[in-house]
Amino acid sequence: MAEWVNGNVTEVTHWTDSLFSITVNAPVTPFTAGQFAKLALEIDGERVQRAYSYVNAPANPALEFYLVNVPEGKLSPRLHALQPGDQVMVTKEAAGFFVLEEIPECQTLWMLATGTAIGPYLSILQQGEGLARFQSLVLVHAARYAADLSYLPLMQQLEQRYQGQLRIQTVVSREERPGSLTGRIPALIASGALEQAVGLPMDADSSHIMLCGNPQMVRDTQQLLKETRAMNKHLRRKPGHITSEHYW
């Protein structure tokens, strides 16, 4: 059974009408970059909880979460309304296996995300441990509109920090934006447009693909890679090329 601790909200950033980040100070147990915690509020006498990935590096005590407000949801509208000084419950122990130690050796590590699922990759890249074994890193963030690319400035800072090892690529599905690809991740892989934009091949010989986000994107991309690139899901007992995490 999960152990809960009280967290103090220190900052709330409203990126758009629906996208926001919460920064919390809470006595949690050290976690591994890529893992998630659960946030909860007491609503009508019931503890309502949801899982959210850490955005911050484990070494950073400012616990950051990136969320979308779902108006008909039970929890997210309440979280959306939080102010600095408010309280939120956090699971003391993090969970999840979407971490670097689960990724096999490869030349190029592709990190593909939709929406708020960019979080675990930002945690991994900000921490920076265990990445030297990859020749190249590719971070792809797909969103509906350019305004939804909340962490693009941080992504660009990370690209500079990694001095050529990291390449970033944004994807926007409902409008055109200079520097971004237009469309959905599976279609951009199928057409070769994503590889062309990044300048690296996505193949079974050199690549491992991390997928995080919209379950439909994850399923469609997995199926496409299996059918056209001879890539299979990675399991401890049966090593493969694809590691995935559905984001709801």
Side-chain angles (χ1 to χ4, degrees):
M1 195 171 188
E3 181 180 352
W4 294 87
V5 295
N6 287 322
N8 183 57
V9 177
T10 59
E11 186 177 352
V12 181
T13 302
H14 294 279
W15 302 102
T16 67
D17 288 344
S18 60
L19 292 169
F20 65 107
S21 299
I22 297 177
T23 304
V24 178
N25 185 1
V28 298
T29 300
F31 66 93
T32 301
Q35 289 190 307
F36 62 86
K38 289 183 179 179
L39 301 182
L41 292 172
E42 201 79 23
I43 302 173
D44 298 328
E46 174 191 0
R47 180 188 288 153
V48 181
Q49 58 184 284
R50 298 287 184 273
Y52 299 103
S53 294
Y54 284 106
V55 174
N56 59 293
N60 184 352
L63 310 179
E64 186 175 355
F65 304 93
Y66 183 37
L67 298 78
V68 60
N69 180 25
V70 181
E72 66 274 16
K74 199 165 185 179
L75 181 61
S76 64
R78 304 291 187 101
L79 294 173
H80 190 246
L82 290 175
Q83 301 288 333
D86 289 339
Q87 299 285 306
V88 62
M89 289 177 280
V90 187
T91 46
K92 187 173 183 178
E93 300 279 348
F97 298 98
F98 200 68
V99 296
L100 280 184
E101 62 188 51
E102 297 291 332
I103 304 301
E105 297 299 321
C106 65
Q107 289 180 33
T108 303
L109 178 61
W110 293 78
M111 303 175 171
L112 311 184
T114 57
T116 56
I118 191 71
Y121 300 131
L122 295 177
S123 181
I124 288 169
L125 290 166
Q126 288 183 94
Q127 184 72 354
E129 294 178 0
L131 292 168
R133 63 187 172 104
F134 305 109
Q135 183 175 319
S136 299
L137 305 166
V138 181
L139 177 62
V140 178
H141 188 201
R144 294 178 301 171
Y145 300 100
D148 299 334
L149 300 169
S150 311
Y151 285 92
L152 181 57
L154 175 57
M155 291 167 61
Q156 292 169 334
Q157 289 173 23
L158 288 166
E159 188 175 37
Q160 291 181 349
R161 169 180 157 185
Y162 281 89
Q163 300 179 337
Q165 184 189 15
L166 172 64
R167 306 179 193 195
I168 63 170
Q169 179 62 54
T170 54
V171 176
V172 178
S173 62
R174 298 189 183 181
E175 64 181 1
E176 292 192 3
R177 175 190 183 277
S180 292
L181 294 173
T182 304
R184 294 182 64 242
I185 285 176
L188 293 169
I189 294 174
S191 68
L194 180 58
E195 291 158 280
Q196 183 176 358
V198 171
L200 289 168
M202 183 184 289
D203 56 43
D205 292 331
S206 66
S207 304
H208 191 89
I209 318 299
M210 296 180 77
L211 299 171
C212 191
N214 183 315
Q216 193 64 53
M217 181 280 289
V218 173
R219 286 191 292 268
D220 290 350
T221 305
Q222 284 178 328
Q223 189 66 26
L224 174 71
L225 293 174
K226 182 178 180 180
E227 293 175 355
T228 65
R229 310 295 173 100
M231 291 180 164
N232 297 299
K233 191 172 182 179
H234 176 66
L235 303 169
R236 285 180 176 176
R237 65 180 182 276
K238 189 178 180 183
H241 316 88
I242 305 167
T243 299
S244 63
E245 183 160 275
H246 292 190
Y247 224 59
W248 61 77

